[in-house]
Amino acid sequence: MKVLVTGGLGFIGSHTVVSLLENGYEVVIVDNLYNSKMDALDGIEKITGTRPKFYKLDCTSVSDMDELFKNEHFDAIINFAGYKAVGESVKLPLNYYQNNLDICFALFRAMEKYDVRNFVFSSSATVYGLPDRVPLTEDSPVKDATSPYGETKVMIERILKDMAFIHKERNIAILRYFNPIGAHKSGLLGEDPNGIPNNLLPYINKVAVGVLKELSVYGNDYETVDGTGVRDYIHVVDLARGHVLALRKLETNPGLVIYNLGTGKGTSVLEVIHAYEEATGVKIPYKFAPRRAGDVPINYAATEKAENELGFKCLYDIKDACLDGYNFQKAELERQKEKEEKKVVKTL
Ligand code: UD1
């Protein structure tokens, strides 16, 4: 089975490519390198022994997608391409709506023209908005998202549902991710956002390696176990495996299916800090700060549907994820230092 992975050099995309290759799929990657690096392709090759075909293309381009689909005959698409910074999306809503929707429009048009029947969409638990109750099942109401980024997920889910209604021959998996963290054990793939990270674990990683001084814990007066926000943190390697299982499901012609991908366990910010410290032996200095706008107090997944219908079960826990994330961050810092040193030697 030949699979197009858009955004395949990004954090979740690159780990999914590894999982697909390990399970015998043929993979073609498209990425415009907006928020990713070619190093990820080298990492994928080192881990799997295979260097998948790579196209540097922008998925918003209808003509480029047309050309690509004409030359390659895909059996399935997994779409990771898209902007994903929540805060930035509030400042640049038009960019987010246009980019994330245009990517899907170009892919859907190409799917129609070249009769590609299987599509996996990376959605987010953000579509549940402020939950009425937890754990969140796939039947929990989809609400207005708290950011334009989240709203693009809601909109694209809606479009997919409308398409599935009329195209019964098509199979679509909407995967709602909870909080993906961690990195590949090799230290070759992981998440290293430019600038100051918005998300918790990338921030903690930078504190752990000494790049940032201390963590701000946003809010300690929520109605949760210790007052700090509770989330469902899933190891990215588990999440990646979820995509392979979703593709297998699509091979049974189920039409449109929706699954949560999470662990089913809620962990507070303070619990994350303690797990990180225990796993790595590194102390994480922190201070309490006001609540962050748009944050929900608590969310975690109901996992029964994914377990029963996909056979999906997480193999890693929060400590595994913290350790793998830390090791990746250390290795990445070394790689960057080496690159800088090489640059200096060249200019001397
Ligand atoms: C956000 C997005 C989600 C996206 C995910 C990517 C929303 C509402 N959430 O999730 O769609 O998929 O990022 O991983 O759109 N925290 C701190 N200090 C920090 C950073 C975070 O205390 O410096 C706290 C937050 O208040 C929250 C928890 O850590 O309680 C997790 O935050 P974060 O990692 O940013 O993820 P979410 O906001 O849950």
Side-chain angles (χ1 to χ4, degrees), residues 86 124 126 146 149 179-180 198-200 203 215-218 229 231 233 269 292 295:
V86 176
S124 163
T126 193
T146 51
Y149 152 78
N179 289 52
N198 298 307
N199 296 121
L200 181 62
Y203 200 107
L215 173 74
S216 293
V217 176
Y218 299 138
R231 296 289 183 277
Y233 297 93
V269 177
R292 184 173 67 174
D295 270 351

Side-chain angles (χ1 to χ4, degrees), residues 245-297:
L245 297 174
L247 271 189
R248 284 195 193 135
K249 178 74 182 177
L250 294 191
E251 285 164 40
T252 68
N253 290 317
L256 183 133
V257 287
I258 302 179
Y259 297 105
N260 285 339
L261 292 181
T263 65
K265 193 177 177 308
T267 308
S268 75
V269 177
L270 290 182
E271 287 170 341
V272 170
I273 295 171
H274 296 142
Y276 197 98
E277 290 179 339
E278 268 180 45
T280 64
V282 181
K283 190 107 197 96
I284 304 298
Y286 67 86
K287 63 166 192 262
F288 290 117
R291 291 180 178 195
R292 184 173 67 174
D295 270 351
V296 299

Side-chain angles (χ1 to χ4, degrees), residues 13-47:
S14 58
H15 288 86
T16 300
V17 167
V18 167
S19 218
L20 289 167
L21 293 171
E22 286 172 349
N23 283 279
Y25 289 87
E26 186 186 348
V27 175
V28 174
I29 297 175
V30 167
D31 201 304
N32 66 358
L33 301 176
Y34 173 78
N35 194 25
S36 57
K37 296 179 194 147
M38 283 303 282
D39 296 355
L41 194 59
D42 301 333
I44 290 167
E45 184 177 11
K46 277 187 195 144
I47 293 166

Side-chain angles (χ1 to χ4, degrees), residues 124-145:
S124 163
T126 193
V127 302
Y128 295 121
L130 181 65
D132 302 320
R133 65 177 71 87
V134 283
L136 285 152
T137 67
E138 289 80 351
D139 296 329
S140 303
V142 168
K143 297 191 181 160
D144 285 344

